[in-house]
């Protein structure tokens, strides 16, 4: 056993590759600059991220954090979208999302 409990994947990494090689909890990230996008585009990006990584053993977050001038409402959109999509996937019994389709 490696003793590793979680692996980090930045926003340039392919979620499928990360999941194929990492069989532990994965922390997958959205490019923090996505918070500058429109709310609709941000929702789409976050939903895509969660669906690609799946919700099993997954921690969603913003790559390296936030910049001081980011709109707090965008952070709310990020968090709310992660929760909404995750809950929907769990309800539908789809913990792995689009990884194996």
């Amino acid at each position: 056993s490696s003793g590793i409990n979680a692996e980090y994947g930045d926003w340039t990494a392919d979620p499928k590759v990360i999941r194929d090689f990492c069989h532990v909890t994965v922390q997958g990230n959205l490019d923090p600059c996505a918070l500058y996008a429109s709310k609709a585009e941000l929702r789409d990006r976050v939903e895509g991220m969660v669906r690609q990584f799946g919700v099993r053993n997954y921690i969603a977050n913003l790559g390296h954090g936030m910049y001081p001038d980011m709109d707090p409402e965008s952070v709310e959109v990020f968090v709310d979208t992660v929760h909404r999509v995750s809950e929907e996937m769990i309800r539908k019994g789809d913990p792995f999302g689009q990884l194996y389709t």
Side-chain angles (χ1 to χ4, degrees):
S1 174
S2 69
I4 295 173
N5 295 319
E7 282 289 329
Y8 162 85
D10 75 9
W11 60 87
T12 63
D14 181 340
K16 182 170 182 354
V17 172
I18 292 171
R19 285 296 197 181
D20 284 349
F21 290 98
C22 299
H23 302 286
V24 295
T25 297
V26 172
Q27 177 177 308
N29 302 304
L30 185 70
D31 179 351
C33 290
L35 293 183
Y36 292 119
S38 70
K39 303 300 188 257
E41 184 177 343
L42 177 57
R43 280 186 200 93
D44 288 345
R45 288 185 182 194
V46 174
E47 182 168 345
M49 177 187 70
V50 174
R51 291 194 184 285
Q52 288 177 355
F53 275 103
V55 294
R56 186 173 197 157
N57 299 329
Y58 176 59
I59 301 166
N61 72 339
L62 291 169
H64 52 71
M66 295 177 51
Y67 297 108
D69 65 338
M70 289 182 159
D71 182 355
E73 287 182 16
S74 293
V75 178
E76 184 176 15
V77 169
F78 173 82
V79 172
D80 289 349
T81 304
V82 168
H83 288 174
R84 178 184 56 78
V85 174
S86 298
E87 290 166 2
E88 175 185 304
M89 290 174 69
I90 291 167
R91 218 176 18 257
K92 290 181 177 180
D94 185 22
F96 293 108
Q98 298 170 353
L99 284 174
Y100 303 103
T101 58

